[in-house]
Amino acid sequence: MELRTVLATLLLTAVTLTGQPAAAATPVTIAYAQRTQTWELVLTNGDVVEVPEALTVATEDLSINAGARAPFLVSGDRRHFFYFRKSDGLFVERTLNGKERVVSRKRLTASSIYEEWPVVSDDGSYVVTETSAPGLGVIADLRKGKVLPPPGGTDAWSFVGFSPDSKRLLLVGERLTVFDRGLRARMRLKTRLHPMALANDYLTAAVPVGTSGKFRKLRLLNLRTGHTSGTVTVRLPRGQYIDDLDFDQAGRMTVRSETRTGVAIYRVSKATGKATLLRTIARPDAEVWVLPGDSTYEPWTERKSKAPQE
């Protein structure tokens, strides 16, 4: 690939990246990750960096689910990436110029691939794993280097999401609960609604309405009062749906939607549902690709197989 440079060597030996244009004011970050023969990072300046240490598929010596795709994640701030290490199966975090940090030596390894699905906060400092069984697996605060026990001593929780500032987690058990990073409950609400995103005010949650996989409507839920807004139809182009719903740092609502050629990102009016296109991202020619902020599996993650030609 023409864009591949010696940055790969620099990255893998944790040497500071050099050679950026002197006039460049914007720091180079991760545009997306892709899997070809190995996992690669495509940077915002166009360079491609291989990550050969990252496991691409689960192997018999490391996992009970040999052949399953090994997760690779990029944090929403585009600075951190996470993968299962080939050498020992441990789940690690890195930055472009940094060394590996193991998330949990005992509780998050390649043996859990396809049984646990890691999710990372936008700032790359907090990891939660959802599991195939009821409850959560690992809850790890990388800033403090701690793996935390489930709140209330029970694992009967489902993960909803992080606030954009990464300071709160929204979990659902018997009640919908907002926790801080230390898993202290800050707000509880008994409701049958199932939100998808939490705003930075820690009070507002977005709830998709309709059939899973084909959401085009939403409501806003006040976590203090339990009151909801009226249903708003998001005015997406025909054939597109709300595949991912979030709030930005300013509290504005954003939607990501799979398109025929990749992914489109919209800012959505909470009042009218008007969708303003912010940008589109064209899918690369790769078997798997991962955008910053993606969970382990998104509708656009894996290339769809083409129907045989008659």
Side-chain angles (χ1 to χ4, degrees), residues 85-140:
R85 198 160 58 187
K86 283 181 181 178
S87 61
D88 55 14
L90 294 178
F91 192 62
V92 299
E93 175 271 343
R94 280 174 75 178
T95 59
L96 286 174
N97 301 316
K99 297 180 180 180
E100 292 175 338
R101 286 196 299 173
V102 175
V103 174
S104 173
R105 289 193 174 275
K106 295 181 179 180
R107 297 187 55 199
L108 185 52
T109 69
S111 63
S112 68
I113 290 175
Y114 213 67
E115 302 293 333
E116 291 192 39
W117 296 273
V119 184
V120 305
S121 61
D122 267 8
D123 68 357
S125 70
Y126 211 98
V127 176
V128 175
T129 61
E130 301 173 275
T131 73
S132 56
L136 303 178
V138 172
I139 305 173

Side-chain angles (χ1 to χ4, degrees), residues 14-151:
V15 177
T16 301
L17 299 179
T18 60
Q20 301 302 327
T26 303
V28 175
T29 55
I30 302 167
Y32 56 85
Q34 62 184 15
R35 196 191 78 190
T36 54
Q37 296 301 312
T38 187
W39 278 105
E40 300 172 333
L41 299 172
V42 179
L43 307 185
T44 50
N45 68 351
D47 287 326
V48 177
V49 178
E50 290 186 342
V51 190
E53 297 96 340
L55 198 64
T56 55
V57 295
T59 56
E60 289 185 0
D61 58 324
L62 294 175
S63 176
I64 60 173
N65 290 311
R69 179 170 71 81
F72 190 105
L73 298 176
V74 179
S75 61
D77 66 4
R78 300 174 176 267
R79 300 180 184 278
H80 306 259
F81 55 103
F82 298 74
Y83 56 87
F84 287 96
R85 198 160 58 187
K86 283 181 181 178
S87 61
D88 55 14
L90 294 178
F91 192 62
V92 299
E93 175 271 343
R94 280 174 75 178
T95 59
L96 286 174
N97 301 316
K99 297 180 180 180
E100 292 175 338
R101 286 196 299 173
V102 175
V103 174
S104 173
R105 289 193 174 275
K106 295 181 179 180
R107 297 187 55 199
L108 185 52
T109 69
S111 63
S112 68
I113 290 175
Y114 213 67
E115 302 293 333
E116 291 192 39
W117 296 273
V119 184
V120 305
S121 61
D122 267 8
D123 68 357
S125 70
Y126 211 98
V127 176
V128 175
T129 61
E130 301 173 275
T131 73
S132 56
L136 303 178
V138 172
I139 305 173
D141 187 337
L142 298 183
R143 286 182 184 173
K144 296 185 177 181
K146 292 183 177 180
V147 174
L148 305 173

